[in-house]
Structure formats: structure tokens, C-alpha cells
Amino acid sequence: MSLAVLIPVSFVPLAATRGGGLLVIPYQHFYIVSAASILASLVAAVLAIATIQIGLYRVLFLCLGFMSMGAIFAVHGLTTPGILVPNLFKFFVGSAVATSAYLSLAVPAVFFAASYFPGLSRLERRLPFWPAGWLVFFVALGLAAYAGIAIFNTWSIARLPLSTPPYSTALAIGSISLFFFAAIRQASSYRVARLPSQANLIAAFVLLAGAAAAMILFRVWTFGWWYYHLLMLAAVGLAFRALLFERAQGRSLRSMLETALELEVSVDDEQFDVEVVGALVAAVEVKDRETQGHNRRVAQLCVKIGRELCMTASDQRVLARAGLLHDVGKLGIPDAILHKHGSLNASEWKVMKTHPEIGVSILGRAGHFKRELLAVLYHHERMDGSGYPHGLIGDAIPIEARIVAVADTYDVITSDRPYRKARSRADARCVVEGEAGTHLDPRVVAAFLKTFEKAVELEPIRKAIPSATH
């Protein structure tokens, strides 16, 4: 946070000398700008990989921010007078190089701020991620079109008033405001986790805000004007360093971003943000009080398994809701069967086996679920085809159902039942591992075993939720 003080203070000597002396070296300008552009593009490329892995608009907007910065700042360098285009300041009040300078901060600032928009997380839970591909396409198309016009038809860009007051002032003030907004939002995450990567992102946003201020305050080619280039180079350098530092610590890129940006899927969010889910879970727990907490534990374990399988955030949200709702069909099972102390007879078992189809019927009326229906209907299918209701075999069982089956099996074994006592976690682990390939999907079991071994992660789940009995 000291940067928020040091950057403005560093402006004092420059402001006292009106930016300092002149240093007109076009080719060195091109080299500095190119270095910053390359670093920004590398950060964008890494974030693009993370976007595919995680599937969240927050990461996508960060990626688009650095992508647009790298592209537009590269145009700023290429349109340096004497590099590819002539000096048009003699004919127009602006030029492609000056316009690109302001846009290289203003456009990324919009994307960075969008990534931290307060309502984005809630919006993501309601929007599919597939339109993101079109967004990337149109942004890339726009950047390519701008670069082509700025380099090959530079006269048209020079006529734009964006690099002269009051437009340039408005762009700079807007950029500064958006960068500080992103820095403040990121600071809230830093106060919780205190990760170096989080601090580096905060510093990068503050440096970019300082660059926007220096750009508007100091004349071209003065030391103050060069200062804004150095601030931008330092900002993208810090962002790149943040990614390299966490990777050097052995953490995956996905894990680092999920922690740094607080991206992990929360079962509580899925239960209480989607009103239908909360109402149905409450109804199931009222119907079968002995199973309270079971659905949430299954949901939390489903999400952890999904993360081990590198599923996107959107897929993990489906798993969270599927885990919460997998037993919703028990609302239609008679209490005498549901609460029977002892084993069910053949006719009672036949009725109990209808609960997946009842669950689909209930959720179908809600109209909010699609993939969750697959998990609810098929979570009692077995890999060898001996399950119900349709006797599906192997990969014919939807992956959501296979994950719920593993989580459900583990939690049922470790919970008290009207007809038996709970078994130990070690026993449950052995049972789950032993049923891999017959009852359960071996790949999902392997992912479960990894989560099981992370005792530090699993133990809080058992402590936070009361022990259940079904």
C-alpha cells in the first residue's frame, strides 16, 4: 500500500521542473514500449490458458485487459514518429502515437474494473461461459482493426481529438479511477490471504494509475513523460512476476488464480443464491431430519472432486447443485419406508428405488436445471451396469452422476443410519477404493483419494457441518 503514497510523492520533483528536460530518442522509446507490450502479451497468454481451465469471466476480463494493453501499446510503439509512420503533429493536433497512448490505459482499465465488478460473481452463476469465445473474437477483431488503421491509415487516427483536452483529461481521469477501483477490490482479497501474488496485482494497478496521471501531466519527451512508460513497464513486469513467483513455489496457475482472486466455488453460494435450490434442500431436510447435513457434505465433496479433475467453475457449480439436490426425490417416498429401522423388504426397496425419477420430476417443474437432472437421475447407476434406474454401463453414466455417486457413497458410510452405526473414515476410504471399476468410476475415485489425502482441507468440512445419519 506504500505505493499509493510513493507514486504521488515521486511526481513532486517532476512537477516542480514541469516534467524536467527533454530527451528525444524515438528508437529507445520504441524499445521500451515494445518490452512492456511483450510482457503484457505474455501475461495475457498465461491468463488465456487459465481462462480455459477455470471458465470464469473474471479471469477472462483480466486476460482481455492485458491483451488490449499489449496490442494497443504495441501500436503506440510502432507509430512512434520515424518508425513506421511520419510525424503528423505538424499537421494535426493529435496523432496515432498519442491516441494509442491514452487508449493503451483506458481500454485495459475498463476490463480490469469489469473483472472486479461487485455483481459479476452472482451474474456468473446465472450465465453460461460459452459466449466468452465470441467476446474474445470481437475484442481481438477490434484490436486488429485499430492496429491496421493506425499503421496503414494513420491520418484518420490523427484527426481524432482523443489525445487533446478535454478528451485526453477525461480518459486519464477515468483510467485512474478504474485502476484504483480494481486495486481496492484486490486489496480486500489480500487482507484475507496475504499472498505475494495478490500484493503484486495491487501494485500493478497502482502503477498503471500513476502512468495515466504522468501521461496527462507532463509534456511529450520530457523526463516526466518517460516516467509514465517506466511505470507501465514496471506494472506489467510485476504482473508477470506474480505469475512466475507462484509457479516457482510449485503451485498450479489455476490454484494460484483461484486463491488470489477468490474464485473457488462455494456450496453456500449455490444453495442460498439460487432460491429454488435452498427451498428444495430445506424441504428434504424437513422430510428426513435424520439426514440433515448429508446433502451439503456431498455437494462440498463433489466440488472438491471436480477441482481435482480440473473441471471449470461452471461445471463445479453444477456439481454443487447436483450434490445438494441428489436426494430431492425422497420428498415423494413414504415416511414409513424412509424412516424404517432395519432393512427394507423387496416391495419397500422397489419404492425407494423410484426416488431418482421422482427427483427429476420435481426439478423438471422448477425449470432451472438441466445437467443437474442427469446427476439426480443416474447417481445410483453402477459402472458394471447393475445400478438403477436404467442399468447404464461405464461412460454412458454422465460424469456428474459418477461424481455424486462417489461423494454419496463416502458420506453414507461415514454417517449413522437407522439400521447401523457410522464407520470410520479410513473404512469408508477402503470401501470407495475397493468399489472402483465395479460400482464407481476409477478416475473419479482417484480424484476423491487425492482430496481424502488433503486432511487439512477435509477436516473443516466435518467440523463445520453436524454429523448426519443418512
Side-chain angles (χ1 to χ4, degrees):
M1 291 303 171
S2 59
L3 273 176
V5 177
L6 292 176
I7 294 298
V9 169
S10 66
F11 279 41
V12 174
L14 291 170
T17 58
R18 302 184 63 184
L22 293 176
L23 191 62
V24 184
I25 43 175
Y27 279 93
Q28 283 73 10
H29 172 261
F30 171 72
Y31 298 145
I32 292 175
V33 171
S34 296
S37 299
I38 291 170
L39 280 177
S41 299
L42 288 174
V43 173
V46 173
L47 290 173
I49 296 172
T51 300
I52 295 171
Q53 294 176 343
I54 301 175
L56 284 176
Y57 281 96
R58 283 195 64 187
V59 183
L60 173 64
F61 287 148
L62 280 179
C63 173
L64 292 177
F66 283 105
M67 183 175 84
S68 60
M69 182 183 296
I72 301 175
F73 209 48
V75 174
H76 174 65
L78 291 170
T79 53
T80 302
I83 301 297
L84 288 182
V85 301
N87 185 357
L88 298 183
F89 279 111
K90 295 179 290 186
F91 307 102
F92 301 101
V93 293
S95 72
V97 66
T99 298
S100 299
Y102 285 99
L103 291 180
S104 68
L105 287 171
V107 175
V110 172
F111 284 121
F112 291 150
S115 181
Y116 291 91
F117 183 71
L120 184 60
S121 296
R122 177 170 292 185
L123 192 63
E124 281 183 318
R125 289 194 283 273
R126 290 168 165 77
L127 288 178
F129 188 68
W130 65 262
W134 286 106
L135 179 59
V136 173
F137 173 76
F138 285 121
V139 170
L141 187 64
L143 292 172
Y146 176 78
I149 295 171
I151 295 171
F152 299 108
N153 192 17
T154 190
W155 300 85
S156 58
I157 301 297
R159 289 188 175 94
L160 296 175
L162 297 179
S163 60
T164 58
Y167 304 102
S168 59
T169 305
L171 282 175
I173 293 174
S175 300
I176 293 168
S177 301
L178 293 175
F179 284 132
F180 272 114
F181 169 77
I184 291 169
R185 294 285 295 178
Q186 181 61 41
S188 64
S189 298
Y190 175 72
R191 282 193 291 270
V192 175
R194 299 283 176 175
L195 293 176
S197 56
Q198 295 172 322
N200 284 333
L201 273 178
I202 297 170
F205 293 140
V206 173
L207 288 169
L208 290 172
M215 186 190 304
I216 196 66
L217 289 175
F218 305 119
R219 291 182 298 116
V220 176
W221 300 119
T222 62
F223 293 154
W225 179 82
W226 282 103
Y227 187 44
Y228 103 72
H229 293 81
L230 296 177
L231 289 174
M232 286 190 70
L233 181 60
V236 294
L238 273 177
F240 189 65
R241 179 182 179 277
L243 299 177
L244 289 181
F245 179 85
E246 293 293 341
R247 196 69 187 93
Q249 303 303 308
R251 299 186 64 191
S252 69
L253 174 64
R254 175 179 185 145
S255 175
M256 184 272 287
L257 285 173
E258 284 179 334
T259 305
L261 302 176
E262 296 183 322
L263 300 177
E264 292 190 14
V265 172
S266 167
V267 172
D268 286 339
D269 287 342
E270 299 309 312
Q271 180 172 348
F272 298 114
D273 187 59
V274 183
E275 295 81 358
V276 175
V277 175
L280 289 173
V281 171
V284 172
E285 294 194 343
V286 168
K287 169 80 172 180
D288 189 5
R289 294 183 180 276
E290 293 182 335
T291 66
Q292 288 183 6
H294 168 71
N295 296 315
R296 288 189 61 203
R297 286 196 301 275
V298 169
Q300 289 177 315
L301 188 49
C302 283
V303 170
K304 288 182 177 294
I305 292 173
R307 291 187 72 244
E308 289 293 340
L309 293 172
C310 297
M311 299 177 76
T312 67
S314 177
D315 292 334
Q316 291 176 44
R317 290 194 183 107
V318 171
L319 291 175
R321 292 190 290 266
L324 287 167
L325 298 169
H326 74 283
D327 275 342
V328 70
K330 289 183 178 178
L331 289 171
I333 302 300
D335 289 348
I337 295 176
L338 198 60
H339 301 147
K340 182 177 179 180
H341 289 264
S343 300
L344 302 179
N345 60 38
S347 61
E348 291 169 336
W349 183 238
K350 184 176 181 181
V351 173
M352 177 62 82
K353 288 168 70 173
T354 64
H355 81 267
E357 292 163 307
I358 295 173
V360 168
S361 177
I362 292 171
L363 292 181
R365 295 172 190 170
H368 290 75
F369 312 100
K370 291 182 181 179
R371 291 169 60 191
E372 292 86 350
L373 292 174
L374 299 176
V376 171
L377 182 59
Y378 297 124
H379 71 280
H380 282 297
E381 297 286 359
R382 292 173 174 258
M383 297 295 287
D384 60 7
S386 63
Y388 63 90
H390 296 148
L392 300 183
I393 299 175
D395 289 343
I397 306 170
I399 183 63
E400 298 87 354
R402 283 178 268 156
I403 292 173
V404 171
V406 171
D408 188 37
T409 298
Y410 174 78
D411 195 74
V412 164
I413 295 171
T414 55
S415 301
D416 286 333
R417 295 283 160 169
Y419 47 89
R420 63 156 174 79
K421 291 292 185 181
R423 296 172 65 178
S424 71
R425 290 170 54 188
D427 285 347
R429 180 190 187 280
C430 290
V431 171
V432 170
E433 190 172 11
E435 294 192 352
T438 53
H439 175 189
L440 305 172
D441 182 344
R443 187 167 69 99
V444 177
V445 170
F448 159 77
L449 293 176
K450 290 181 181 179
T451 68
F452 186 91
E453 291 162 3
K454 296 176 182 178
V456 175
E457 292 182 358
L458 269 176
E459 194 59 32
I461 297 176
R462 307 301 300 188
K463 289 180 179 179
I465 304 172
S467 181
T469 55
H470 191 40

mmCIF file of all heavy atoms in Angstrom, residues 203 232 252 262 317 368 436:
data_model
loop_
_atom_site.group_PDB
_atom_site.id
_atom_site.type_symbol
_atom_site.label_atom_id
_atom_site.label_comp_id
_atom_site.label_asym_id
_atom_site.label_seq_id
_atom_site.Cartn_x
_atom_site.Cartn_y
_atom_site.Cartn_z
ATOM 1 N N ALA A 203 -0.133 -3.644 -6.604
ATOM 2 C CA ALA A 203 0.930 -2.719 -7.010
ATOM 3 C C ALA A 203 0.850 -2.410 -8.497
ATOM 4 O O ALA A 203 1.048 -1.257 -8.916
ATOM 5 C CB ALA A 203 2.292 -3.309 -6.663
ATOM 6 N N MET A 232 4.496 1.909 -16.608
ATOM 7 C CA MET A 232 3.771 0.838 -17.297
ATOM 8 C C MET A 232 4.627 -0.417 -17.393
ATOM 9 O O MET A 232 4.137 -1.539 -17.189
ATOM 10 C CB MET A 232 3.340 1.299 -18.688
ATOM 11 C CG MET A 232 2.177 2.267 -18.690
ATOM 12 S SD MET A 232 1.503 2.559 -20.348
ATOM 13 C CE MET A 232 0.738 0.973 -20.708
ATOM 14 N N SER A 252 0.005 -24.604 -8.981
ATOM 15 C CA SER A 252 -0.500 -24.532 -10.347
ATOM 16 C C SER A 252 -1.052 -23.141 -10.612
ATOM 17 O O SER A 252 -1.451 -22.421 -9.689
ATOM 18 C CB SER A 252 -1.601 -25.570 -10.564
ATOM 19 O OG SER A 252 -2.758 -25.228 -9.818
ATOM 20 N N GLU A 262 -10.038 -15.131 -5.259
ATOM 21 C CA GLU A 262 -11.187 -15.696 -4.522
ATOM 22 C C GLU A 262 -12.223 -16.259 -5.488
ATOM 23 O O GLU A 262 -13.387 -15.867 -5.494
ATOM 24 C CB GLU A 262 -11.814 -14.632 -3.617
ATOM 25 C CG GLU A 262 -10.880 -14.147 -2.512
ATOM 26 C CD GLU A 262 -11.545 -13.140 -1.595
ATOM 27 O OE1 GLU A 262 -12.324 -12.304 -2.088
ATOM 28 O OE2 GLU A 262 -11.284 -13.197 -0.389
ATOM 29 N N ARG A 317 -20.084 -25.626 -10.310
ATOM 30 C CA ARG A 317 -21.370 -25.131 -9.797
ATOM 31 C C ARG A 317 -22.483 -26.144 -10.053
ATOM 32 O O ARG A 317 -23.372 -26.331 -9.220
ATOM 33 C CB ARG A 317 -21.705 -23.794 -10.463
ATOM 34 C CG ARG A 317 -20.802 -22.658 -10.020
ATOM 35 C CD ARG A 317 -21.395 -21.321 -10.440
ATOM 36 N NE ARG A 317 -20.497 -20.251 -10.085
ATOM 37 C CZ ARG A 317 -19.764 -19.560 -10.946
ATOM 38 N NH1 ARG A 317 -19.847 -19.832 -12.234
ATOM 39 N NH2 ARG A 317 -18.954 -18.604 -10.549
ATOM 40 N N HIS A 368 -35.114 -24.722 -13.769
ATOM 41 C CA HIS A 368 -33.829 -24.034 -13.634
ATOM 42 C C HIS A 368 -32.635 -24.970 -13.881
ATOM 43 O O HIS A 368 -31.500 -24.533 -13.856
ATOM 44 C CB HIS A 368 -33.682 -23.441 -12.224
ATOM 45 C CG HIS A 368 -34.578 -22.283 -11.962
ATOM 46 N ND1 HIS A 368 -35.926 -22.421 -11.738
ATOM 47 C CD2 HIS A 368 -34.319 -20.952 -11.911
ATOM 48 C CE1 HIS A 368 -36.460 -21.234 -11.536
ATOM 49 N NE2 HIS A 368 -35.506 -20.321 -11.629
ATOM 50 N N ALA A 436 -14.012 -49.200 -6.946
ATOM 51 C CA ALA A 436 -13.601 -48.574 -8.199
ATOM 52 C C ALA A 436 -13.622 -49.615 -9.317
ATOM 53 O O ALA A 436 -13.055 -50.702 -9.189
ATOM 54 C CB ALA A 436 -12.203 -47.979 -8.060
#
